[in-house]
Amino acid sequence: MILNTDITDEEKLVLLLSNPYLTESHRNDIKLIILNNKNINPGEIYSIVLANEVAGFAFKNSNAPYIFPDKININLHNFYRQTAFKNILILRETLAVLKLLSDNKIAAVPLKGATASDLLFNDFGIYPSGDIDILVHPSKLSESKKTLCDHGGFTQIQETSEQDLLSNHYHLIFRKNNLLLEVHWNLVKRYFSIPADFWWQGSKEFEWNGINTFALAIEQYILYNIFRLFDHCFHPLRFFILLGGIIEQNVDNINWDRLINVASHYKMKKLVVFTLRLLKDMFNTNIPKKIIEKEYCGYNFFKTLVFSGIFSGIQKQHQRMMLYTVLLIELKTVFNILVKRIFPSKGELRLRYNISSKSKKIYLYYIFNPFLLLFKKTK
């Protein structure tokens, strides 16, 4: 068995069925689990699969061997078809956005979602996307906004003041009909301080469906997706799958020494090593032994915490984030981060609790913020 961790057989099957690169060894693991446990609960597997947005992967892998009853297989097939249809629509709009920006001399990097379905997995039905995400340079942000609104049919969502977003966040949000577009100028926020120029270092221009666009350097792409996992409390499972896919598809081009050196420079090394080791445990992802062989204090505790979120859901996100912050970020930066979480700026507070820039409620939230961090449940 590849997976070396104390979880139920249903949970092991979820991880195996979610692997986009299912090998004969994985299939044998699945068969062995089913052979040794006649009481496998397919309904539990199905529920976890849906909660973690990996129905498309499970559908592709569930017939090798047979696991689900016909009704669940039909439902998984429907999810696969719906995901494919939505991704094709989003991809079409993504390409239109990239062409519009390219025609106006604005360099942009497409991120995750339908882009990953096409370029990474070559299957529109397995990796769901909810919106379009692109990266532009901060110097082009104002021009991008004007171009998208004047010529792309987008309208900027201004539920939160733009100044709060610019000073405390890392993207602006635009809407076109039922589609959302997030325009990033940075790919990390709050916990780490990385200059926006960093993400463009080593980026390469390439042609995609007849459109000139840009791709992040592979080390930057890995760091971004590790931060994204961390920022979402290592949930849902599909975020792990995207990171694993990026590594597997680019393993010969990854400069691992550069990745670790950059992570260390920006105080992300503990987080990066933990996440890569966890990915190895979950999917046997192709990661050099030298990266993950060193003992990691608290690794098993945090692995259990991550798995509890994946398999049982996350009830109190703020409390989890405080735990992850303490042990996954370099200790010398933890104090400053916790202080900023407990006593944030007004802009951060408005973003966190969706408070109007004119509302006087912000003062109440400022007083009760420490208690909300500890006791507020997330849906």
Side-chain angles (χ1 to χ4, degrees):
M1 183 73 186
I2 290 172
L3 186 67
N4 180 22
T5 191
D6 185 22
I7 57 177
T8 69
D9 284 342
E10 285 82 2
E11 292 164 352
K12 291 175 183 176
L13 287 171
V14 168
L15 295 182
L16 287 164
L17 291 171
S18 300
N19 195 325
Y21 309 108
L22 204 67
T23 64
E24 192 59 36
S25 175
H26 294 135
R27 290 183 173 89
N28 290 335
D29 289 338
I30 293 172
K31 291 176 183 177
L32 190 62
I33 291 172
I34 295 173
L35 183 65
N36 292 333
N37 188 345
K38 303 300 183 183
N39 297 312
I40 292 290
N41 184 346
E44 180 182 343
I45 299 172
Y46 178 64
S47 295
I48 297 173
V49 160
L50 292 188
N52 282 276
E53 303 171 12
V54 292
F57 294 99
F59 169 72
K60 292 281 285 188
N61 292 330
S62 61
N63 289 326
Y66 171 84
I67 293 175
F68 298 114
D70 289 343
K71 183 178 180 180
I72 290 181
N73 266 325
I74 291 172
N75 288 341
L76 289 174
H77 190 194
N78 287 336
F79 274 106
Y80 176 85
R81 293 173 60 187
Q82 291 166 10
T83 298
F85 179 73
K86 185 175 182 180
N87 274 334
I88 290 171
L89 292 178
I90 291 177
L91 180 64
R92 183 174 64 185
E93 192 62 47
T94 301
L95 293 171
V97 167
L98 293 173
K99 184 177 188 308
L100 176 63
L101 295 176
S102 177
D103 288 347
N104 285 273
K105 311 300 181 186
I106 300 172
V109 177
L111 304 166
K112 55 191 180 67
T115 302
S117 295
D118 187 27
L119 296 177
L120 196 62
F121 298 119
N122 196 29
D123 188 330
F124 288 112
I126 58 176
Y127 190 84
S129 56
D131 50 33
I132 300 172
D133 291 82
I134 62 172
L135 173 72
V136 301
H137 194 274
S139 64
K140 293 289 186 178
L141 187 60
S142 179
E143 189 178 345
S144 299
K145 182 173 68 171
K146 180 174 174 56
T147 300
L148 291 167
C149 293
D150 290 353
H151 305 291
F154 285 91
T155 303
Q156 186 178 356
I157 295 177
Q158 294 182 320
E159 295 175 353
T160 306
S161 78
E162 184 170 319
Q163 187 55 46
D164 284 345
L165 290 170
L166 291 173
S167 59
N168 296 281
H169 209 49
Y170 63 166
H171 64 63
L172 298 178
I173 304 177
F174 300 82
R175 183 188 299 277
K176 181 178 181 181
N177 299 321
N178 294 322
L179 186 67
L180 293 180
L181 166 65
E182 295 184 356
V183 179
H184 295 251
W185 61 87
N186 205 324
L187 296 178
V188 297
K189 60 180 180 179
R190 186 183 297 134
Y191 307 98
F192 303 100
S193 179
I194 299 180
D197 285 338
F198 164 76
W199 302 107
W200 292 92
Q201 294 172 13
S203 62
K204 295 181 179 179
E205 187 173 10
F206 72 103
E207 185 177 305
W208 181 31
N209 286 280
I211 298 168
N212 290 329
T213 188
F214 287 80
L216 296 175
I218 187 60
E219 295 82 16
Q220 268 87 335
Y221 203 18
I222 290 171
L223 285 177
Y224 160 54
N225 279 279
I226 288 176
F227 169 78
R228 184 168 169 246
L229 264 169
F230 173 75
D231 192 45
H232 288 78
C233 283
F234 299 95
H235 185 274
L237 184 59
R238 74 177 173 101
F239 289 178
F240 279 101
I241 294 170
L242 176 57
L243 176 60
I246 291 167
I247 292 173
E248 291 289 1
Q249 290 295 314
N250 297 277
V251 66
D252 293 333
N253 299 317
I254 299 171
N255 185 332
W256 292 101
D257 289 334
R258 176 178 182 269
L259 175 66
I260 296 302
N261 288 337
V262 169
S264 180
H265 178 74
Y266 290 116
K267 301 178 176 60
M268 290 181 70
K269 182 177 178 180
K270 289 179 67 177
L271 172 61
V272 168
V273 172
F274 169 81
T275 306
L276 293 177
R277 183 173 172 182
L278 188 59
L279 203 60
K280 180 73 172 181
D281 271 359
M282 294 168 72
F283 299 113
N284 199 32
T285 305
N286 197 346
I287 297 166
K289 186 177 180 181
K290 66 177 182 178
I291 303 295
I292 56 176
E293 63 183 353
K294 186 178 178 181
E295 283 298 315
Y296 189 105
C297 181
Y299 174 77
N300 289 328
F301 168 78
F302 279 97
K303 179 172 70 172
T304 301
L305 187 64
V306 169
F307 281 6
S308 73
I310 290 173
F311 299 125
S312 301
I314 294 174
Q315 295 295 317
K316 295 182 178 181
Q317 183 173 356
H318 294 306
Q319 292 89 322
R320 279 180 179 261
M321 283 306 299
M322 291 179 75
L323 281 173
Y324 290 139
T325 299
V326 170
L327 285 182
L328 295 186
I329 296 179
E330 303 297 332
L331 288 178
K332 55 188 175 183
T333 66
V334 167
F335 178 76
N336 287 335
I337 290 173
L338 290 179
V339 168
K340 289 179 181 178
R341 291 290 287 166
I342 297 171
F343 304 107
S345 67
K346 289 182 179 179
E348 166 69 19
L349 206 61
R350 282 192 286 263
L351 290 172
R352 187 180 301 173
Y353 299 113
N354 196 25
I355 305 169
S356 167
S357 59
K358 297 180 180 179
S359 176
K360 301 297 184 183
K361 290 181 180 179
I362 190 169
Y363 299 106
L364 286 174
Y365 276 93
Y366 199 85
I367 293 170
F368 289 106
N369 178 62
F371 302 98
L372 292 173
L373 287 176
L374 290 174
F375 301 111
K376 183 182 178 184
K377 291 186 178 183
T378 52
K379 295 179 180 180

